[in-house]
Amino acid sequence: MFQSRDEIRLVYLKVWKKMQGQSLLEPLEAIIADVIQLHPEYHPLLKAGESATEKDYTPEDGQTNPFLHMGMHITLREQAGGDRPVGILVVYQKLVAQKGIHDAEHAMIECLGEVLWTAQRNNAVPDENAYLTCLRKL
């Protein structure tokens, strides 16, 4: 089921609150919490609570959308965890071994973003072969 932008953002806030209260996290929440921990620059945003869900982030602002950025980290981890597209797990593990998890994922996000942007521009599904080719070049 698809969630609205605000519903997705509220998930981050829920996880943030659980982290602050040291509450037990569900498996997906644990992944989200780990990504949040990797991005202390977003902690003030999450501390702001529901007002954090209201802002639009556009390329014209010159700011990265923190929710989209963290979502891409989560997407990469889910892709690697399920080896989907087939072959991404090996690439992910190799890059993490070389660069560390955060830098590896940031490099991979560039490929993911490019493939998603191209798919959106062409009104098509993302090209898994182009995605894997880009990842293997990293």
Side-chain angles (χ1 to χ4, degrees):
M1 175 187 288
F2 293 102
Q3 295 176 310
S4 73
R5 177 194 82 164
D6 290 345
E7 289 170 331
I8 292 168
R9 290 177 177 191
L10 288 173
V11 170
Y12 287 96
L13 296 178
K14 177 184 170 190
V15 171
W16 174 256
K17 287 178 185 175
K18 282 183 149 185
M19 291 168 63
Q20 300 316 297
Q22 298 181 336
S23 299
L24 187 63
L25 300 170
E26 298 293 325
L28 179 58
E29 291 175 334
I31 294 170
I32 295 168
D34 189 53
V35 169
I36 288 171
Q37 290 288 24
L38 289 174
H39 291 88
E41 69 273 23
Y42 299 150
H43 294 182
L45 174 74
L46 296 169
K47 285 178 188 174
E50 287 197 33
S51 65
T53 66
E54 299 168 2
K55 183 171 180 176
D56 288 323
Y57 297 89
T58 63
E60 295 80 26
D61 288 339
Q63 283 187 308
T64 298
N65 179 332
F67 298 104
L68 176 61
H69 181 80
M70 290 187 290
M72 291 179 85
H73 277 281
I74 294 161
T75 297
L76 289 170
R77 291 176 186 205
E78 289 182 329
Q79 288 176 338
D83 197 26
R84 184 75 183 136
V86 174
I88 195 169
L89 177 58
V90 171
V91 174
Y92 183 85
Q93 290 171 332
K94 182 178 178 182
L95 288 171
V96 167
Q98 290 173 348
K99 301 174 181 259
I101 194 165
H102 198 202
D103 288 343
E105 288 179 358
H106 276 197
M108 294 175 77
I109 282 172
E110 295 298 320
C111 292
L112 178 58
E114 181 181 320
V115 168
L116 292 175
W117 180 84
T118 300
Q120 183 178 15
R121 184 188 66 194
N122 295 335
N123 197 28
V125 297
D127 183 338
E128 290 183 356
N129 290 325
Y131 181 39
L132 288 170
T133 299
C134 181
L135 291 173
R136 288 180 179 128
K137 290 179 182 177
L138 297 176

